[in-house]
Short mmCIF file of all heavy atoms in Angstrom, two decimals:
data_model
loop_
_atom_site.label_atom_id
_atom_site.label_comp_id
_atom_site.label_asym_id
_atom_site.label_seq_id
_atom_site.Cartn_x
_atom_site.Cartn_y
_atom_site.Cartn_z
N MET L 858 84.26 -36.78 -24.25
CA MET L 858 84.54 -38.00 -24.98
C MET L 858 86.03 -38.30 -24.87
O MET L 858 86.87 -37.44 -25.12
CB MET L 858 84.14 -37.81 -26.45
CG MET L 858 84.46 -39.04 -27.27
SD MET L 858 84.33 -38.92 -29.05
CE MET L 858 82.71 -38.40 -29.34
N PRO L 859 86.39 -39.52 -24.46
CA PRO L 859 87.81 -39.86 -24.34
C PRO L 859 88.49 -39.92 -25.71
O PRO L 859 87.88 -40.31 -26.70
CB PRO L 859 87.81 -41.23 -23.67
CG PRO L 859 86.44 -41.75 -23.80
CD PRO L 859 85.53 -40.60 -24.06
N ARG L 860 89.72 -39.51 -25.72
CA ARG L 860 90.44 -39.51 -27.00
C ARG L 860 90.95 -40.90 -27.32
O ARG L 860 91.15 -41.74 -26.43
CB ARG L 860 91.59 -38.52 -26.98
CG ARG L 860 92.72 -38.88 -26.07
CD ARG L 860 93.87 -37.88 -26.20
NE ARG L 860 94.97 -38.28 -25.38
CZ ARG L 860 95.88 -39.19 -25.73
NH1 ARG L 860 95.81 -39.77 -26.89
NH2 ARG L 860 96.86 -39.50 -24.92
N LYS L 861 91.16 -41.14 -28.58
CA LYS L 861 91.66 -42.43 -29.05
C LYS L 861 93.17 -42.50 -28.82
O LYS L 861 93.88 -41.52 -29.06
CB LYS L 861 91.37 -42.52 -30.55
CG LYS L 861 91.16 -43.87 -31.08
CD LYS L 861 90.69 -43.76 -32.51
CE LYS L 861 90.59 -45.11 -33.14
NZ LYS L 861 90.19 -45.04 -34.52
N PRO L 862 93.69 -43.64 -28.32
CA PRO L 862 95.13 -43.73 -28.09
C PRO L 862 95.91 -43.68 -29.42
O PRO L 862 95.46 -44.22 -30.43
CB PRO L 862 95.33 -45.07 -27.41
CG PRO L 862 94.03 -45.74 -27.37
CD PRO L 862 93.00 -44.82 -27.90
N SER L 863 97.04 -43.04 -29.39
CA SER L 863 97.86 -42.94 -30.58
C SER L 863 98.52 -44.29 -30.88
O SER L 863 98.52 -45.20 -30.05
CB SER L 863 98.94 -41.87 -30.40
OG SER L 863 99.89 -42.30 -29.45
N SER L 864 99.08 -44.42 -32.05
CA SER L 864 99.73 -45.68 -32.43
C SER L 864 100.93 -45.96 -31.52
O SER L 864 101.20 -47.12 -31.19
CB SER L 864 100.16 -45.65 -33.89
OG SER L 864 101.11 -44.64 -34.11
N GLU L 865 101.61 -44.91 -31.08
CA GLU L 865 102.75 -45.09 -30.16
C GLU L 865 102.26 -45.61 -28.81
O GLU L 865 102.90 -46.48 -28.22
CB GLU L 865 103.50 -43.77 -29.99
CG GLU L 865 104.73 -43.88 -29.12
CD GLU L 865 105.77 -44.83 -29.66
OE1 GLU L 865 105.92 -44.93 -30.88
OE2 GLU L 865 106.44 -45.49 -28.83
N GLU L 866 101.14 -45.09 -28.33
CA GLU L 866 100.59 -45.56 -27.06
C GLU L 866 100.11 -47.01 -27.17
O GLU L 866 100.31 -47.80 -26.25
CB GLU L 866 99.42 -44.67 -26.63
CG GLU L 866 99.84 -43.28 -26.22
CD GLU L 866 98.68 -42.34 -26.01
OE1 GLU L 866 97.62 -42.53 -26.62
OE2 GLU L 866 98.85 -41.40 -25.21
N ARG L 867 99.48 -47.36 -28.29
CA ARG L 867 99.04 -48.74 -28.49
C ARG L 867 100.23 -49.68 -28.55
O ARG L 867 100.21 -50.77 -27.99
CB ARG L 867 98.21 -48.86 -29.76
CG ARG L 867 96.80 -48.30 -29.63
CD ARG L 867 95.92 -48.68 -30.79
NE ARG L 867 96.46 -48.34 -32.08
CZ ARG L 867 96.25 -47.19 -32.73
NH1 ARG L 867 95.47 -46.28 -32.21
NH2 ARG L 867 96.79 -46.98 -33.91
N ARG L 868 101.29 -49.26 -29.21
CA ARG L 868 102.48 -50.10 -29.33
C ARG L 868 103.15 -50.28 -27.97
O ARG L 868 103.54 -51.40 -27.62
CB ARG L 868 103.47 -49.49 -30.32
CG ARG L 868 104.75 -50.32 -30.42
CD ARG L 868 105.52 -50.00 -31.66
NE ARG L 868 106.78 -50.70 -31.71
CZ ARG L 868 106.93 -51.98 -32.03
NH1 ARG L 868 105.88 -52.68 -32.35
NH2 ARG L 868 108.11 -52.54 -32.04
N SER L 869 103.26 -49.22 -27.20
CA SER L 869 103.90 -49.34 -25.90
C SER L 869 103.06 -50.21 -24.97
O SER L 869 103.60 -50.97 -24.16
CB SER L 869 104.16 -47.98 -25.28
OG SER L 869 102.94 -47.32 -24.98
N ARG L 870 101.74 -50.15 -25.08
CA ARG L 870 100.88 -51.02 -24.28
C ARG L 870 101.06 -52.47 -24.70
O ARG L 870 101.14 -53.36 -23.85
CB ARG L 870 99.42 -50.61 -24.45
CG ARG L 870 98.49 -51.36 -23.52
CD ARG L 870 97.07 -50.87 -23.59
NE ARG L 870 96.99 -49.46 -23.27
CZ ARG L 870 96.24 -48.59 -23.95
NH1 ARG L 870 95.52 -48.98 -24.96
NH2 ARG L 870 96.20 -47.34 -23.58
N ALA L 871 101.17 -52.74 -26.01
CA ALA L 871 101.38 -54.10 -26.50
C ALA L 871 102.72 -54.64 -26.04
O ALA L 871 102.82 -55.80 -25.64
CB ALA L 871 101.29 -54.13 -28.02
N VAL L 872 103.75 -53.82 -26.07
CA VAL L 872 105.08 -54.23 -25.62
C VAL L 872 105.04 -54.60 -24.14
O VAL L 872 105.60 -55.61 -23.72
CB VAL L 872 106.12 -53.11 -25.89
CG1 VAL L 872 107.41 -53.38 -25.15
CG2 VAL L 872 106.37 -52.98 -27.37
N ALA L 873 104.34 -53.79 -23.35
CA ALA L 873 104.24 -54.07 -21.92
C ALA L 873 103.48 -55.37 -21.66
O ALA L 873 103.87 -56.16 -20.80
CB ALA L 873 103.55 -52.91 -21.21
N GLN L 874 102.42 -55.61 -22.41
CA GLN L 874 101.65 -56.85 -22.24
C GLN L 874 102.46 -58.07 -22.63
O GLN L 874 102.43 -59.09 -21.94
CB GLN L 874 100.36 -56.80 -23.06
CG GLN L 874 99.33 -55.85 -22.51
CD GLN L 874 98.13 -55.72 -23.41
OE1 GLN L 874 98.20 -55.99 -24.60
NE2 GLN L 874 97.03 -55.30 -22.85
N VAL L 875 103.20 -57.98 -23.73
CA VAL L 875 104.04 -59.10 -24.17
C VAL L 875 105.14 -59.36 -23.15
O VAL L 875 105.41 -60.52 -22.79
CB VAL L 875 104.63 -58.84 -25.57
CG1 VAL L 875 105.72 -59.83 -25.91
CG2 VAL L 875 103.54 -58.89 -26.63
N ALA L 876 105.76 -58.32 -22.65
CA ALA L 876 106.83 -58.48 -21.67
C ALA L 876 106.30 -59.13 -20.39
O ALA L 876 106.94 -60.01 -19.82
CB ALA L 876 107.47 -57.13 -21.35
N ASP L 877 105.13 -58.71 -19.95
CA ASP L 877 104.52 -59.28 -18.75
C ASP L 877 104.19 -60.75 -18.97
O ASP L 877 104.44 -61.59 -18.10
CB ASP L 877 103.27 -58.50 -18.38
CG ASP L 877 102.69 -58.93 -17.06
OD1 ASP L 877 103.46 -59.04 -16.09
OD2 ASP L 877 101.46 -59.16 -17.00
N PHE L 878 103.63 -61.08 -20.13
CA PHE L 878 103.28 -62.46 -20.44
C PHE L 878 104.52 -63.34 -20.46
O PHE L 878 104.55 -64.41 -19.86
CB PHE L 878 102.57 -62.52 -21.79
CG PHE L 878 102.23 -63.92 -22.23
CD1 PHE L 878 101.12 -64.57 -21.73
CD2 PHE L 878 103.00 -64.59 -23.16
CE1 PHE L 878 100.79 -65.86 -22.13
CE2 PHE L 878 102.69 -65.87 -23.58
CZ PHE L 878 101.58 -66.51 -23.05
N ILE L 879 105.58 -62.89 -21.11
CA ILE L 879 106.80 -63.68 -21.22
C ILE L 879 107.46 -63.84 -19.85
O ILE L 879 107.95 -64.92 -19.50
CB ILE L 879 107.77 -63.03 -22.22
CG1 ILE L 879 107.21 -63.17 -23.62
CG2 ILE L 879 109.17 -63.64 -22.13
CD1 ILE L 879 107.96 -62.41 -24.67
N ARG L 880 107.44 -62.80 -19.04
CA ARG L 880 108.02 -62.87 -17.69
C ARG L 880 107.27 -63.89 -16.84
O ARG L 880 107.88 -64.71 -16.16
CB ARG L 880 107.99 -61.50 -17.03
CG ARG L 880 108.62 -61.47 -15.66
CD ARG L 880 108.54 -60.08 -15.02
NE ARG L 880 107.22 -59.49 -15.06
CZ ARG L 880 106.22 -59.81 -14.24
NH1 ARG L 880 106.40 -60.72 -13.31
NH2 ARG L 880 105.04 -59.21 -14.34
N LYS L 881 105.95 -63.85 -16.87
CA LYS L 881 105.16 -64.80 -16.08
C LYS L 881 105.31 -66.21 -16.62
O LYS L 881 105.43 -67.16 -15.85
CB LYS L 881 103.69 -64.41 -16.12
CG LYS L 881 103.34 -63.22 -15.29
CD LYS L 881 101.86 -62.93 -15.41
CE LYS L 881 101.47 -61.69 -14.66
NZ LYS L 881 100.05 -61.39 -14.87
N TYR L 882 105.29 -66.37 -17.91
CA TYR L 882 105.34 -67.70 -18.51
C TYR L 882 106.72 -68.33 -18.35
O TYR L 882 106.83 -69.53 -18.16
CB TYR L 882 104.98 -67.61 -19.99
CG TYR L 882 104.88 -68.94 -20.68
CD1 TYR L 882 103.86 -69.80 -20.40
CD2 TYR L 882 105.83 -69.32 -21.61
CE1 TYR L 882 103.76 -71.03 -21.03
CE2 TYR L 882 105.75 -70.54 -22.24
CZ TYR L 882 104.71 -71.39 -21.95
OH TYR L 882 104.62 -72.60 -22.57
N GLY L 883 107.76 -67.53 -18.39
CA GLY L 883 109.11 -68.06 -18.38
C GLY L 883 109.71 -68.32 -17.02
O GLY L 883 110.72 -69.00 -16.91
N ARG L 884 109.09 -67.82 -15.98
CA ARG L 884 109.70 -68.00 -14.66
C ARG L 884 109.47 -69.41 -14.15
O ARG L 884 108.51 -70.06 -14.48
CB ARG L 884 109.19 -66.98 -13.67
CG ARG L 884 107.80 -67.20 -13.16
CD ARG L 884 107.49 -66.19 -12.06
NE ARG L 884 106.11 -66.30 -11.65
CZ ARG L 884 105.67 -67.17 -10.75
NH1 ARG L 884 106.51 -68.00 -10.18
NH2 ARG L 884 104.40 -67.21 -10.43
N ARG L 885 110.35 -69.85 -13.33
CA ARG L 885 110.26 -71.19 -12.75
C ARG L 885 109.29 -71.17 -11.58
O ARG L 885 109.07 -70.15 -10.95
CB ARG L 885 111.63 -71.64 -12.28
CG ARG L 885 112.65 -71.69 -13.42
CD ARG L 885 113.97 -72.15 -12.92
NE ARG L 885 113.91 -73.55 -12.56
CZ ARG L 885 114.46 -74.53 -13.26
NH1 ARG L 885 115.12 -74.24 -14.35
NH2 ARG L 885 114.37 -75.77 -12.87
N LYS L 886 108.76 -72.34 -11.26
CA LYS L 886 107.87 -72.43 -10.12
C LYS L 886 108.67 -72.23 -8.84
O LYS L 886 109.88 -72.48 -8.79
CB LYS L 886 107.14 -73.76 -10.08
CG LYS L 886 107.98 -74.94 -9.66
CD LYS L 886 107.14 -76.19 -9.60
CE LYS L 886 107.97 -77.34 -9.10
NZ LYS L 886 107.80 -77.60 -7.70
N GLN L 887 108.02 -71.77 -7.82
CA GLN L 887 108.69 -71.55 -6.55
C GLN L 887 108.81 -72.87 -5.80
O GLN L 887 107.94 -73.73 -5.90
CB GLN L 887 107.91 -70.55 -5.72
CG GLN L 887 107.85 -69.19 -6.39
CD GLN L 887 107.03 -68.20 -5.59
OE1 GLN L 887 106.51 -68.52 -4.54
NE2 GLN L 887 106.94 -67.00 -6.11
N LYS L 888 109.90 -73.03 -5.09
CA LYS L 888 110.12 -74.25 -4.33
C LYS L 888 109.03 -74.42 -3.27
O LYS L 888 108.65 -73.47 -2.59
CB LYS L 888 111.48 -74.21 -3.65
CG LYS L 888 112.62 -74.30 -4.62
CD LYS L 888 113.94 -74.34 -3.90
CE LYS L 888 115.06 -74.45 -4.92
NZ LYS L 888 116.36 -74.47 -4.29
N ARG L 889 108.55 -75.63 -3.17
CA ARG L 889 107.51 -75.99 -2.22
C ARG L 889 106.24 -75.16 -2.39
O ARG L 889 105.44 -75.03 -1.47
CB ARG L 889 107.99 -75.87 -0.78
CG ARG L 889 109.13 -76.81 -0.44
CD ARG L 889 109.52 -76.62 0.99
NE ARG L 889 110.69 -77.21 1.53
CZ ARG L 889 111.89 -77.31 1.03
NH1 ARG L 889 112.15 -76.86 -0.12
NH2 ARG L 889 112.88 -77.86 1.68
N GLY L 890 106.08 -74.59 -3.56
CA GLY L 890 104.89 -73.78 -3.82
C GLY L 890 103.99 -74.46 -4.83
O GLY L 890 104.28 -75.53 -5.35
N GLU L 891 102.91 -73.84 -5.07
CA GLU L 891 101.96 -74.35 -6.04
C GLU L 891 102.56 -74.19 -7.44
O GLU L 891 102.92 -73.08 -7.83
CB GLU L 891 100.65 -73.57 -5.93
CG GLU L 891 99.63 -73.87 -6.98
CD GLU L 891 99.11 -75.29 -6.94
OE1 GLU L 891 99.04 -75.88 -5.85
OE2 GLU L 891 98.80 -75.82 -8.00
N PRO L 892 102.70 -75.27 -8.21
CA PRO L 892 103.31 -75.15 -9.53
C PRO L 892 102.42 -74.39 -10.51
O PRO L 892 102.91 -73.84 -11.49
CB PRO L 892 103.50 -76.60 -9.98
CG PRO L 892 102.53 -77.38 -9.17
CD PRO L 892 102.35 -76.64 -7.88
N ASN L 893 101.14 -74.33 -10.24
CA ASN L 893 100.23 -73.65 -11.14
C ASN L 893 99.79 -72.32 -10.52
O ASN L 893 98.60 -72.00 -10.50
CB ASN L 893 99.00 -74.53 -11.36
CG ASN L 893 98.74 -74.76 -12.82
OD1 ASN L 893 99.46 -74.26 -13.66
ND2 ASN L 893 97.71 -75.50 -13.11
N ASP L 894 100.73 -71.54 -10.05
CA ASP L 894 100.41 -70.35 -9.29
C ASP L 894 100.29 -69.08 -10.14
O ASP L 894 100.11 -68.01 -9.61
CB ASP L 894 101.45 -70.12 -8.20
CG ASP L 894 102.83 -69.88 -8.76
OD1 ASP L 894 103.05 -70.16 -9.95
OD2 ASP L 894 103.70 -69.42 -8.00
N ARG L 895 100.35 -69.19 -11.42
CA ARG L 895 100.24 -68.00 -12.26
C ARG L 895 99.10 -68.18 -13.26
O ARG L 895 98.79 -69.28 -13.67
CB ARG L 895 101.54 -67.70 -12.96
CG ARG L 895 102.07 -68.84 -13.78
CD ARG L 895 103.51 -68.54 -14.20
NE ARG L 895 104.10 -69.71 -14.78
CZ ARG L 895 104.91 -70.54 -14.16
NH1 ARG L 895 105.24 -70.32 -12.92
NH2 ARG L 895 105.40 -71.59 -14.76
N VAL L 896 98.52 -67.08 -13.63
CA VAL L 896 97.41 -67.09 -14.57
C VAL L 896 97.97 -67.14 -15.98
O VAL L 896 98.86 -66.38 -16.33
CB VAL L 896 96.54 -65.83 -14.39
CG1 VAL L 896 95.43 -65.80 -15.39
CG2 VAL L 896 96.00 -65.75 -12.98
N TYR L 897 97.45 -68.06 -16.78
CA TYR L 897 97.90 -68.19 -18.16
C TYR L 897 96.86 -67.53 -19.05
O TYR L 897 95.68 -67.88 -19.01
CB TYR L 897 98.06 -69.67 -18.52
CG TYR L 897 98.70 -69.88 -19.86
CD1 TYR L 897 100.06 -69.69 -20.01
CD2 TYR L 897 97.96 -70.23 -20.97
CE1 TYR L 897 100.67 -69.87 -21.23
CE2 TYR L 897 98.56 -70.41 -22.20
CZ TYR L 897 99.91 -70.24 -22.32
OH TYR L 897 100.51 -70.40 -23.53
N ASP L 898 97.27 -66.59 -19.84
CA ASP L 898 96.36 -65.81 -20.67
C ASP L 898 96.27 -66.43 -22.06
O ASP L 898 97.15 -66.24 -22.90
CB ASP L 898 96.86 -64.37 -20.74
CG ASP L 898 95.86 -63.43 -21.37
OD1 ASP L 898 94.80 -63.90 -21.81
OD2 ASP L 898 96.15 -62.23 -21.39
N ARG L 899 95.22 -67.17 -22.31
CA ARG L 899 95.03 -67.83 -23.61
C ARG L 899 94.82 -66.81 -24.74
O ARG L 899 95.23 -67.06 -25.86
CB ARG L 899 93.84 -68.78 -23.55
CG ARG L 899 94.02 -69.86 -22.54
CD ARG L 899 94.33 -71.16 -23.20
NE ARG L 899 94.46 -72.20 -22.17
CZ ARG L 899 95.50 -73.00 -22.11
NH1 ARG L 899 96.44 -72.93 -22.99
NH2 ARG L 899 95.57 -73.90 -21.15
N ASP L 900 94.17 -65.69 -24.43
CA ASP L 900 93.97 -64.66 -25.45
C ASP L 900 95.31 -64.07 -25.90
O ASP L 900 95.53 -63.82 -27.08
CB ASP L 900 93.06 -63.55 -24.94
CG ASP L 900 91.64 -64.04 -24.69
OD1 ASP L 900 91.22 -65.00 -25.36
OD2 ASP L 900 90.96 -63.45 -23.82
N MET L 901 96.20 -63.84 -24.94
CA MET L 901 97.52 -63.31 -25.28
C MET L 901 98.30 -64.33 -26.10
O MET L 901 98.95 -63.97 -27.08
CB MET L 901 98.30 -62.95 -24.01
CG MET L 901 99.70 -62.45 -24.27
SD MET L 901 99.81 -60.98 -25.30
CE MET L 901 99.29 -59.75 -24.17
N GLU L 902 98.22 -65.61 -25.74
CA GLU L 902 98.89 -66.65 -26.50
C GLU L 902 98.38 -66.68 -27.94
O GLU L 902 99.16 -66.75 -28.89
CB GLU L 902 98.66 -68.01 -25.86
CG GLU L 902 99.26 -69.15 -26.65
CD GLU L 902 98.80 -70.51 -26.20
OE1 GLU L 902 97.75 -70.61 -25.54
OE2 GLU L 902 99.50 -71.48 -26.52
N ALA L 903 97.07 -66.58 -28.12
CA ALA L 903 96.49 -66.60 -29.47
C ALA L 903 96.94 -65.39 -30.28
O ALA L 903 97.26 -65.51 -31.47
CB ALA L 903 94.97 -66.65 -29.38
N SER L 904 96.98 -64.23 -29.65
CA SER L 904 97.41 -63.04 -30.39
C SER L 904 98.89 -63.11 -30.75
O SER L 904 99.30 -62.65 -31.81
CB SER L 904 97.10 -61.77 -29.60
OG SER L 904 97.86 -61.73 -28.43
N LEU L 905 99.72 -63.71 -29.88
CA LEU L 905 101.14 -63.86 -30.19
C LEU L 905 101.36 -64.86 -31.32
O LEU L 905 102.26 -64.70 -32.14
CB LEU L 905 101.93 -64.29 -28.95
CG LEU L 905 102.04 -63.25 -27.84
CD1 LEU L 905 102.77 -63.83 -26.65
CD2 LEU L 905 102.72 -62.00 -28.34
N LYS L 906 100.53 -65.89 -31.37
CA LYS L 906 100.65 -66.89 -32.44
C LYS L 906 100.29 -66.30 -33.80
O LYS L 906 100.78 -66.76 -34.82
CB LYS L 906 99.77 -68.10 -32.15
CG LYS L 906 100.35 -69.01 -31.11
CD LYS L 906 99.48 -70.23 -30.93
CE LYS L 906 100.09 -71.19 -29.95
NZ LYS L 906 99.27 -72.39 -29.78
N ARG L 907 99.43 -65.29 -33.80
CA ARG L 907 99.03 -64.67 -35.07
C ARG L 907 100.08 -63.72 -35.62
O ARG L 907 100.07 -63.38 -36.80
CB ARG L 907 97.72 -63.90 -34.90
CG ARG L 907 96.50 -64.79 -34.80
CD ARG L 907 95.23 -63.99 -34.91
NE ARG L 907 95.12 -62.96 -33.89
CZ ARG L 907 94.50 -63.11 -32.73
NH1 ARG L 907 93.94 -64.25 -32.41
NH2 ARG L 907 94.44 -62.11 -31.87
N LEU L 908 101.00 -63.28 -34.77
CA LEU L 908 102.03 -62.34 -35.22
C LEU L 908 103.07 -63.04 -36.09
O LEU L 908 103.35 -64.23 -35.91
CB LEU L 908 102.75 -61.74 -34.01
CG LEU L 908 101.99 -60.75 -33.17
CD1 LEU L 908 102.83 -60.39 -31.95
CD2 LEU L 908 101.64 -59.51 -33.95
N SER L 909 103.64 -62.28 -36.99
CA SER L 909 104.75 -62.82 -37.77
C SER L 909 105.98 -62.90 -36.86
O SER L 909 106.06 -62.18 -35.86
CB SER L 909 105.04 -61.93 -38.97
OG SER L 909 105.61 -60.70 -38.54
N PRO L 910 106.93 -63.76 -37.18
CA PRO L 910 108.13 -63.85 -36.34
C PRO L 910 108.86 -62.52 -36.20
O PRO L 910 109.39 -62.20 -35.13
CB PRO L 910 108.99 -64.89 -37.06
CG PRO L 910 108.04 -65.71 -37.83
CD PRO L 910 106.93 -64.77 -38.23
N GLN L 911 108.89 -61.74 -37.25
CA GLN L 911 109.59 -60.44 -37.19
C GLN L 911 108.87 -59.47 -36.25
O GLN L 911 109.52 -58.75 -35.48
CB GLN L 911 109.68 -59.81 -38.59
CG GLN L 911 110.54 -60.58 -39.56
CD GLN L 911 109.80 -61.73 -40.22
OE1 GLN L 911 108.59 -61.83 -40.17
NE2 GLN L 911 110.55 -62.61 -40.86
N ASP L 912 107.53 -59.45 -36.29
CA ASP L 912 106.77 -58.56 -35.42
C ASP L 912 106.91 -58.99 -33.95
O ASP L 912 107.04 -58.14 -33.07
CB ASP L 912 105.30 -58.53 -35.81
CG ASP L 912 105.06 -57.84 -37.14
OD1 ASP L 912 105.95 -57.08 -37.58
OD2 ASP L 912 104.00 -58.08 -37.75
N LEU L 913 106.88 -60.29 -33.72
CA LEU L 913 107.04 -60.79 -32.35
C LEU L 913 108.43 -60.43 -31.81
O LEU L 913 108.56 -59.97 -30.68
CB LEU L 913 106.83 -62.30 -32.30
CG LEU L 913 107.00 -62.95 -30.93
CD1 LEU L 913 106.02 -62.35 -29.93
CD2 LEU L 913 106.81 -64.45 -31.04
N ASP L 914 109.44 -60.60 -32.63
CA ASP L 914 110.80 -60.25 -32.22
C ASP L 914 110.90 -58.76 -31.91
O ASP L 914 111.54 -58.36 -30.94
CB ASP L 914 111.79 -60.65 -33.31
CG ASP L 914 113.22 -60.43 -32.87
OD1 ASP L 914 113.62 -61.03 -31.85
OD2 ASP L 914 113.93 -59.65 -33.54
N ALA L 915 110.26 -57.94 -32.74
CA ALA L 915 110.29 -56.49 -32.51
C ALA L 915 109.60 -56.14 -31.19
O ALA L 915 110.08 -55.27 -30.45
CB ALA L 915 109.62 -55.77 -33.67
N LEU L 916 108.49 -56.79 -30.87
CA LEU L 916 107.82 -56.53 -29.61
C LEU L 916 108.65 -57.02 -28.42
O LEU L 916 108.71 -56.35 -27.38
CB LEU L 916 106.45 -57.20 -29.58
CG LEU L 916 105.34 -56.55 -30.37
CD1 LEU L 916 104.09 -57.41 -30.33
CD2 LEU L 916 105.05 -55.16 -29.87
N MET L 917 109.28 -58.16 -28.56
CA MET L 917 110.05 -58.72 -27.46
C MET L 917 111.31 -57.92 -27.18
O MET L 917 111.77 -57.84 -26.04
CB MET L 917 110.42 -60.18 -27.75
CG MET L 917 109.24 -61.10 -27.68
SD MET L 917 109.61 -62.77 -28.25
CE MET L 917 110.95 -63.24 -27.19
N HIS L 918 111.90 -57.33 -28.20
CA HIS L 918 113.17 -56.62 -28.04
C HIS L 918 113.01 -55.13 -28.24
O HIS L 918 113.95 -54.44 -28.65
CB HIS L 918 114.21 -57.18 -29.01
CG HIS L 918 114.50 -58.62 -28.77
ND1 HIS L 918 113.97 -59.61 -29.54
CD2 HIS L 918 115.23 -59.22 -27.80
CE1 HIS L 918 114.37 -60.78 -29.08
NE2 HIS L 918 115.13 -60.58 -28.02
N ASP L 919 111.84 -54.59 -27.95
CA ASP L 919 111.57 -53.17 -28.18
C ASP L 919 112.46 -52.28 -27.33
O ASP L 919 112.91 -51.25 -27.77
CB ASP L 919 110.11 -52.87 -27.89
CG ASP L 919 109.74 -51.45 -28.23
OD1 ASP L 919 109.82 -51.12 -29.43
OD2 ASP L 919 109.41 -50.68 -27.31
N ASP L 920 112.74 -52.67 -26.10
CA ASP L 920 113.53 -51.82 -25.20
C ASP L 920 115.01 -51.79 -25.57
O ASP L 920 115.74 -50.92 -25.13
CB ASP L 920 113.37 -52.27 -23.76
CG ASP L 920 113.78 -53.72 -23.55
OD1 ASP L 920 113.89 -54.45 -24.55
OD2 ASP L 920 113.99 -54.10 -22.39
N GLU L 921 115.46 -52.70 -26.41
CA GLU L 921 116.87 -52.75 -26.80
C GLU L 921 117.19 -51.82 -27.96
O GLU L 921 118.34 -51.55 -28.23
CB GLU L 921 117.26 -54.17 -27.16
CG GLU L 921 117.15 -55.12 -26.01
CD GLU L 921 117.38 -56.57 -26.42
OE1 GLU L 921 117.71 -56.80 -27.59
OE2 GLU L 921 117.22 -57.44 -25.57
N ALA L 922 116.19 -51.35 -28.67
CA ALA L 922 116.41 -50.51 -29.86
C ALA L 922 116.80 -49.11 -29.49
O ALA L 922 116.72 -48.63 -28.45
CB ALA L 922 115.16 -50.48 -30.72
#
């Protein structure tokens, strides 16, 4: 039976997902390329909207602490 991930593992996975989402969403389109060339994750957007501003800030700046 696989073990359950610890809270630290869940947090690090969430930080990685948020960082990936922000990196993809924030980058500019490539010149002469398809402007819609990245996948937009609506589920990730919905989960980020449910977070409090303080929790979102903590996830976004986790590597700076």
Side-chain angles (χ1 to χ4, degrees):
M858 178 190 304
R860 69 176 183 82
K861 209 172 174 182
S863 69
S864 62
E865 183 61 34
E866 290 171 333
R867 285 192 306 269
R868 178 162 175 78
S869 66
R870 187 175 301 137
V872 167
Q874 288 174 338
V875 168
D877 187 48
F878 177 80
I879 290 172
R880 182 181 50 78
K881 286 180 183 176
Y882 185 70
R884 74 173 174 85
R885 300 181 70 107
K886 74 178 184 98
Q887 297 178 0
K888 291 183 179 179
R889 297 180 190 43
E891 173 64 32
N893 234 0
D894 63 344
R895 55 192 171 260
V896 178
Y897 189 76
D898 190 357
R899 300 255 181 231
D900 294 332
M901 178 59 75
E902 177 192 20
S904 66
L905 291 177
K906 283 183 176 181
R907 285 191 302 266
L908 288 174
S909 70
Q911 294 83 13
D912 291 340
L913 179 60
D914 186 59
L916 284 175
M917 289 172 57
H918 299 102
D919 186 64
D920 58 344
E921 296 173 5

